[in-house]
Amino acid sequence: NAGVTQTPKFRILKIGQSMTLQCTQDMNHNYMYWYRQDPGMGLKLIYYSVGAGITDKGEVPNGYNVSRSTTEDFPLRLELAAPSQTSVYFCASSPPASGIQGEQYFGPGTRLTVT
Amino acid sequence: GQQVMQIPQYQHVQEGEDFTTYCNSSTTLSNIQWYKQRPGGHPVFLIQLVKSGEVKKQKRLTFQFGEAKKNSSLHITATQTTDVGTYFCAGTGSSNTGKLIFGQGTTLQVKP
């Protein structure tokens, strides 16, 4: 199993541009999450999903959108990128047996810079 | 809303010394998890504690969950250079519909 994979690894955007961060997991996990990590800070939850077709907002959803059309994929869309969205983005998933409170498996991250 | 605070933010130790990081929540937690993130890497799950007063060990790492389920600690005995990284606690409380709230982490540097 590849686990949780994310693409791209790095990206530089200009202010106002849009992009989609891809996240795929091959562990048949139904719970998936998007976090952002700013320097010296913990992880802030952006959006999460408890299964295909179901998404919900986390702590910091403004400026982002998500979709979950399949169990495997959970893309994060940035519309009208702003410098405040410069961060490292992590996708994570949890197995169905452990529920939303269970241990999370993280992808390698996408380092995004908006200038 | 629920907050999870960790102290200290940074810790430098000599190899062989012990290290402890503390995690405190503003509300009672249903469980607490610990993760390790190596420099440039992603968080990796270490352990989950659920019961009041629970203590779990993983080799040189000892994890505790407070009796009131509002605090936790991670203690590393005789640190090694491989212990370098940032240690995060993350808790789930009843006020946030089960989602994890992460502390800001403690970054450990080990001098050989």
Side-chain angles (χ1 to χ4, degrees), chain A:
Chain A
N1 287 351
V4 181
T5 57
Q6 292 183 239
T7 57
K9 290 184 179 173
F10 304 94
R11 183 71 186 267
I12 297 175
L13 279 182
K14 293 190 184 302
I15 295 171
Q17 288 186 322
S18 301
M19 76 164 292
T20 299
L21 282 67
Q22 301 292 345
C23 175
T24 300
Q25 54 86 16
D26 63 357
M27 299 176 283
N28 204 30
H29 287 178
N30 53 325
Y31 298 93
M32 295 188 74
Y33 316 84
W34 274 106
Y35 293 92
R36 60 175 288 171
Q37 183 177 36
D38 299 320
M41 303 294 287
L43 296 128
K44 299 290 186 184
L45 183 65
I46 304 171
Y47 271 95
Y48 68 101
S49 169
V50 300
I54 305 170
T55 63
D56 207 349
K57 296 177 181 178
E59 292 177 80
V60 289
N62 291 344
Y64 307 94
N65 276 301
V66 294
S67 60
R68 184 96 182 270
S69 56
T70 67
T71 299
E72 295 78 18
D73 300 306
F74 191 39
L76 177 71
R77 177 84 178 160
L78 278 72
E79 305 281 2
L80 299 174
S84 61
Q85 293 178 304
T86 294
S87 190
V88 180
Y89 291 84
F90 288 103
C91 179
S93 69
S94 292
S98 57
I100 197 170
Q101 299 186 11
E103 72 273 19
Q104 296 185 12
Y105 298 81
F106 284 80
T110 294
R111 191 173 298 271
L112 176 67
T113 302
V114 182
T115 61

Side-chain angles (χ1 to χ4, degrees), chain A residues 33 35 37 40-45 48 57-59 90 100-109 111, chain B residues 9-10 30-31 33 35 37 40-45 48 88 92 97-105:
Chain A
Y33 316 84
Y35 293 92
Q37 183 177 36
M41 303 294 287
L43 296 128
K44 299 290 186 184
L45 183 65
Y48 68 101
K57 296 177 181 178
E59 292 177 80
F90 288 103
I100 197 170
Q101 299 186 11
E103 72 273 19
Q104 296 185 12
Y105 298 81
F106 284 80
R111 191 173 298 271
Chain B
Q9 189 173 2
Y10 298 99
S30 57
N31 68 51
Q33 298 178 16
Y35 291 79
Q37 184 177 25
H42 59 276
V44 175
F45 174 78
Q48 177 170 280
F88 292 98
T92 303
T97 63
K99 298 184 292 295
L100 280 181
I101 301 295
F102 280 80
Q104 69 269 47

